[in-house]
Structure formats: C-alpha cells, structure tokens
C-alpha cells in the first residue's frame, strides 16, 4: 500500500536586511538623505563622544576606580542611533552596552560612572525621562519593557518602548515571553537586538540554530527585519519606522542589528582565552566595518565634516569627560545600607533586622 500526503502551503516568510551606507560610506539608498544632514552629524558626534567616554571608563576601571565596564567599541552605531531616534516621551529599557543611547537620552556621564562604580545612586537618572535603570540580568529588561508597553496601551498614551538587548539574551525565556506578549497584545514595543555574535565566550552558532535572530519574531507574529548594525542610516530608518508604527497602534517590531564584538565582553574577560586563531582574525577584520569611520567617510564626501571639525569636537569631548570624571571622583561613598534601599517602599521585618546588624557591624569596625 502506498500513501501520499497532500500538503498545501499555508504560510511563507522572508527576512529582509536593510543597508543604506556601504563600508566605504557610499550611499546605497534612493532616499533623499540631504535634509537630514544635521542628524547624521549629531549621530556621528554622539559616536565619537561615546567612544572617548568608554575609553576613559576602561582606564578608570584598570586603575581601580570603577568596578567593571562594558564598551560598545566598534558597535557604537546601534546604541547611539537608538538613543538619538527615540522621542523624549518614549521609554528605554536599556542593557549594559547602552552607554551611547543613555548619553543621547541626557543621562550624565557622572551618573554612568557612579553606576559602574557600584553606587546605586548612579541608577537615578535625572534626565527627565521615564527610562529604566541599566539591566545586568540578561533579557530581564524585555519583560519589563512588555509591562511598560502594556501600561502605555491601557492608558491610551502615544508612547513607544524600546527593549535593547544582546544576541545572547534572545536565547533566554524572558525574551521569548516578552516577544509572545508583544505579538498577542500588539504592544507598542520595539526590540532592538545588538547581535555582536558573542555572549561573553559563547559564539552565536552555539546559542542558536536560527540563521537570523530577526526570524525569532515570526512565531510571535511580530514584524521583523535585520539591519546592518554598523550603518547608522539603516538603523535610524528602521527604528524610526518601528517607533512610529508602535505609537500609532501598529504593533511591535523586532530589529536585529548585525555587528561584531571586536574587543572583550567587558573589563572582566580576555577573548584570547576563548577565541581561536580564526575567530581572532574575524574580530580583526570586523574592525574594517567600523561605524564611526563609515559615517565619517560619508560626511566628508558630502563636505559636511573635516579634520578641523573633528579635532575641535574631540577636544570638546575630552573636556566634558574630564569634568564628569572629576565630579564622579569627588562623590563621597554611600552608606552600606544602600544595598537595601531600593527594593521595597518599606522594609519587611527580616530586612530591618539585617540592616540593624549591618549598622552594628559597621560601628564595631569603625
Ligand atoms: C540571567 C543572567 N545570566 C547570566 C548573566 C551573566 N552574563 C552577563 S553578560 C552575559 C552575556 C550576554 O551576551 P549578549 O546578550 O549577547 O550581550 P552582549 O554582552 O554580547 O552585548 C552573561 C551570560 C547575567 N548577567 N544574567
């Protein structure tokens, strides 16, 4: 007996990748990008500022004045453009590689240094936004973002939320749960995945068998695309369209920004221990895709930027950074009980006892 089954195609999907500038800074898009020139300059300046600030932060860590730091070196385009593109009323649930976005959102360098210096007061942003503190717990911010987006929807506010995370985060349950809720509730939520292809020592191919991270959105019926993550223009258009759609009840979007982590994950690791020779070569080659150089080439070809402007801006950044570092270093240490301060409006009995014990210890040590 011979059985044949009848199959009908019931759904099919494609994943698109968006690019506007090639690695030489040449335009690939038909769009009229000229009217937006001040925007490209602002993003470029934001990337330089972020790069210099992060270099300083690493030096502070190396000299014992910060606990740890994670840079976005070579992948500044995603975080800076993301912060630049959001409206003030939107809300960012950032992760630890979002220094560039937070600086764009008006978070001060002093606050960021306090945070990385282990001081809880660094999470109290005074930037007049409702942005969340930096998430260290991988993917936790995706669920927080879904909750906030649901609140905006219930209040009928025209505001969008961005959940920013890395590729490793998309391997966690929190990510899938948030994505599922975003789809089923049609939340005003944009996921921006910084796919730098490493989760500390674990390369992407050991995280997932999926050919793109964008396609993870398909199962949740969430719109998705991949963008060249070193191309500020492509990132800008993708995020702007997604935010506009979210604010106008058009539902959620997932944007996978494809880039590469050139250096270490953070100041606490060294890639030579886990990247083999070929992977080290790939990391070196990835430097040729540098988003800063790419946008610089574009701006210079348009006669919008030159060495003189560059040097002037670098000088301004350095002065700005040095002043922030001085202020950060002059902040006196918080009290030990600060580790309890932010979890509860009023402490439960068990914590009251622990705080008392801590204060006793503190006094007897003094
Ligand atoms: C829930 C949880 N598990 C483990 C860690 C330790 N950890 C910190 S960062 C990281 C890798 C995250 O990689 P990815 O999401 O790709 O972001 P990237 O740092 O590469 O930008 C891990 C496992 C953590 N912070 N939270």
């Amino acid at each position: 007996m011979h059985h044949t089954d009848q199959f009908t195609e019931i759904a099919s999907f494609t994943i698109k990748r968006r690019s506007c500038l090639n690695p030489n800074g040449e335009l690939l898009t038909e769009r009229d990008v000229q009217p937006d020139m001040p925007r490209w300059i602002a993003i470029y300046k934001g990337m330089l500022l972020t790069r210099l600030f992060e270099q300083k932060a690493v030096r502070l860590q190396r000299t014992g004045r910060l606990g740890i730091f994670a840079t976005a070196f070579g992948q500044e385009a995603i975080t800076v453009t993301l912060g630049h593109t959001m409206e003030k009323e939107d809300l960012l649930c950032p992760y630890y590689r979002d220094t560039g976005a937070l600086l764009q959102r008006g978070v001060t360098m002093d606050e960021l240094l306090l945070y990385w210096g282990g001081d809880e007061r660094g999470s109290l942003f005074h930037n007049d936004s409702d942005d969340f503190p930096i998430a260290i717990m991988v993917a936790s911010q995706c669920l927080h973002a879904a909750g906030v987006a649901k609140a905006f929807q219930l209040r009928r506010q025209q505001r969008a939320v961005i959940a920013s995370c890395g590729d490793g985060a998309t391997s966690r349950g929190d990510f899938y749960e948030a994505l599922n809720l975003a789809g089923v509730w049609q939340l005003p939520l944009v996921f921006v995945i910084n796919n730098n292809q490493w989760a500390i020592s674990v390369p992407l191919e050991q995280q997932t068998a999926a050919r793109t991270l964008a396609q993870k959105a398909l199962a949740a019926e969430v719109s998705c695309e991949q963008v060249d993550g070193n191309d500020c223009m492509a990132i800008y258009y993708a995020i702007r369209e997604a935010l506009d759609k979210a604010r106008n009840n058009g539902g959620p979007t997932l944007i996978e920004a494809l880039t590469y982590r050139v250096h270490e994950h953070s100041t606490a690791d060294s890639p030579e221990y886990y990247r083999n020779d070929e992977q080290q070569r790939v990391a070196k080659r990835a430097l040729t895709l540098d988003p800063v150089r790419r946008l610089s080439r574009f701006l210079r070809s348009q006669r919008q930027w030159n060495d003189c402007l560059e040097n002037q801006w670098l000088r301004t950044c350095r002065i700005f950074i040095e002043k922030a570092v001085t202020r950060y270093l002059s902040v006196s240490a918080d009290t030990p009980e600060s580790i309890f301060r932010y979890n509860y409006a009023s402490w439960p009995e068990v914590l009251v006892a622990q705080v008392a014990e801590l204060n006793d210890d503190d006094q007897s040590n003094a």
Side-chain angles (χ1 to χ4, degrees):
M1 195 64 181
H2 186 69
H3 294 282
T4 48
D5 294 324
Q6 175 88 48
F7 290 105
T8 319
E9 184 174 304
I10 54 161
S12 61
F13 305 95
T14 54
I15 302 292
K16 289 186 180 165
R17 179 185 300 167
R18 190 192 299 246
S19 304
C20 294
L21 283 179
N22 73 15
N24 293 326
E26 293 154 356
L27 268 188
L28 301 168
T29 173
E30 307 273 289
R31 287 178 196 257
D32 182 8
V33 303
Q34 294 299 330
D36 271 336
M37 216 42 99
R39 174 185 311 292
W40 314 129
I41 294 172
I43 291 175
Y44 180 70
K45 287 166 110 178
M47 287 199 292
L48 280 184
L49 177 67
T50 301
R51 185 165 283 189
L52 287 185
F53 172 70
E54 291 194 337
Q55 282 168 352
K56 182 71 189 183
V58 170
R59 286 201 290 274
L60 289 172
Q61 193 279 336
R62 297 295 185 223
T63 49
R65 291 174 288 176
L66 279 187
I68 186 172
F69 195 78
T71 78
F73 180 82
Q75 47 187 86
E76 292 90 347
I78 302 166
T79 181
V80 172
T81 308
L82 149 54
H84 174 90
T85 310
M86 295 176 77
E87 297 291 336
K88 195 170 129 228
E89 300 72 29
D90 296 333
L91 187 146
L92 176 63
C93 291
Y95 86 124
Y96 49 80
R97 218 173 289 288
D98 272 322
T99 294
L102 292 168
L103 290 176
Q104 291 294 307
R105 299 282 286 162
V107 173
T108 65
M109 294 177 180
D110 326 16
E111 285 164 346
L112 291 168
L113 292 172
L114 273 178
Y115 172 83
W116 290 104
D119 191 319
E120 299 287 345
R121 293 170 295 183
S123 291
L124 193 62
F125 304 150
H126 290 89
N127 65 344
D128 199 23
S129 82
D130 290 328
D131 292 348
F132 270 35
I134 297 168
I136 287 282
M137 297 313 295
V138 172
S140 59
Q141 73 277 22
C142 298
L143 278 172
H144 303 156
V148 174
K150 184 68 192 168
F152 287 170
Q153 189 181 59
L154 289 171
R155 296 177 189 161
R156 299 186 192 286
Q157 292 175 320
Q158 263 210 329
R159 303 171 74 183
V161 185
I162 289 193
S164 171
C165 66
D167 47 283
T170 71
S171 302
R172 289 192 57 86
D174 297 25
F175 168 78
Y176 289 104
E177 290 169 27
L179 192 64
N180 188 55
L181 289 179
V184 75
W185 288 341
Q186 286 295 290
L187 296 177
L189 176 52
V190 181
F191 296 90
V192 178
I193 316 291
N194 178 330
N195 180 0
N196 64 22
Q197 305 182 47
W198 289 85
I200 312 186
S201 56
V202 184
L204 189 66
E205 63 271 16
Q206 283 176 38
Q207 291 264 352
T208 180
R211 276 174 291 166
T212 71
L213 299 179
Q215 75 200 58
K216 295 195 177 196
L218 296 175
E221 206 62 36
V222 168
S223 314
C224 61
E225 66 171 276
Q226 190 183 71
V227 297
D228 181 333
N230 289 349
D231 174 348
C232 296
M233 242 180 234
I235 300 166
Y236 169 73
Y237 290 125
I239 294 181
R240 193 186 68 183
E241 285 166 27
L243 286 173
D244 284 347
K245 183 170 151 206
R247 286 190 217 101
N248 293 298
N249 300 319
T253 305
L254 185 155
I255 297 167
E256 174 193 3
L258 191 59
T259 181
Y260 200 87
R261 203 195 80 215
V262 181
H263 286 168
E264 64 279 342
H265 166 80
S266 75
T267 51
D269 70 297
S270 306
E272 58 270 26
Y273 290 107
Y274 52 78
R275 277 183 182 160
N276 63 31
D277 290 348
E278 175 52 22
Q279 287 163 336
Q280 295 275 41
R281 278 194 288 275
V282 170
K284 242 195 205 122
R285 274 202 300 277
L287 262 179
T288 61
L289 303 175
D290 183 15
V292 176
R293 191 175 59 173
R294 187 179 307 196
L295 195 54
S296 166
R297 283 182 172 177
F298 169 73
L299 291 174
R300 285 167 189 258
S301 74
Q302 303 291 311
R303 305 203 176 286
Q304 300 286 330
W305 199 254
N306 54 43
D307 286 349
C308 179
L309 288 169
E310 177 106 350
N311 289 332
Q312 227 172 354
W313 179 242
L314 291 177
R315 250 197 320 275
T316 307
C317 291
R318 288 198 186 98
I319 293 170
F320 204 51
I321 293 166
E322 285 309 323
K323 284 187 175 159
V325 171
T326 306
R327 283 194 301 270
Y328 158 66
L329 292 174
S330 69
V331 173
S332 47
D334 205 350
T335 57
E337 68 177 50
S338 68
I339 57 173
F340 297 100
R341 197 178 293 148
Y342 303 100
N343 286 332
Y344 298 92
S346 60
W347 288 329
E349 291 276 297
V350 57
L351 283 194
V352 174
Q354 286 183 25
V355 173
E357 198 178 322
L358 184 77
N359 286 335
D360 283 353
D361 278 359
D362 211 34
Q363 253 140 45
S364 51
N365 288 337

